[in-house]
Amino acid sequence: DLAGAVPTPMAGSEKFVLGFPLKLLGAFLNSCAIVGDLGANRSETQVYESYLRWRWETHKPPLGPVPQGADAIAKMRLVFMAQGNSKLLLAAWRQLP
């Protein structure tokens, strides 16, 4: 509900920009280049996987090399859905059986 509760478009846009955490707004705007790849002979899955790799590579603090293997996508998705404490989340992941 960043803009829906405000009845005027300009006030809604202002609330949208000012109400977003700056880190999240920056990631959203920077992701536009990745989304632009849709339809360029790449499937939605390929574009999403590129996005996940890009987010991993640009993560602050750095998380190391991009994960490989059967659990790579799950690991990257969890890190970005958690939006914080990435190192702690990855340490917990390594403890899973």
Side-chain angles (χ1 to χ4, degrees):
D1 183 39
L2 285 171
V6 179
T8 57
M10 290 302 274
S13 297
E14 182 178 282
K15 186 175 180 186
F16 179 77
V17 171
L18 297 176
F20 248 78
L22 188 57
K23 182 178 175 182
L24 182 60
L25 180 61
F28 173 74
L29 293 174
N30 289 331
S31 71
C32 292
I34 302 285
V35 175
D37 287 343
L38 278 173
N41 297 323
R42 296 181 68 201
S43 71
E44 292 88 348
T45 301
Q46 291 169 321
V47 171
Y48 184 60
E49 288 177 2
S50 293
Y51 170 74
L52 290 174
R53 284 190 298 275
W54 169 75
R55 288 287 308 269
W56 189 277
E57 291 167 347
T58 59
H59 190 276
K60 302 286 191 252
L63 298 172
V66 174
Q68 302 292 318
D71 64 349
I73 299 297
K75 198 181 298 185
M76 289 187 284
R77 287 185 66 188
L78 275 175
V79 165
F80 304 122
M81 288 189 293
Q83 297 182 14
N85 294 321
S86 301
K87 300 269 186 179
L88 184 62
L89 181 113
L90 291 172
W93 180 273
R94 286 189 290 274
Q95 293 179 1
L96 292 173

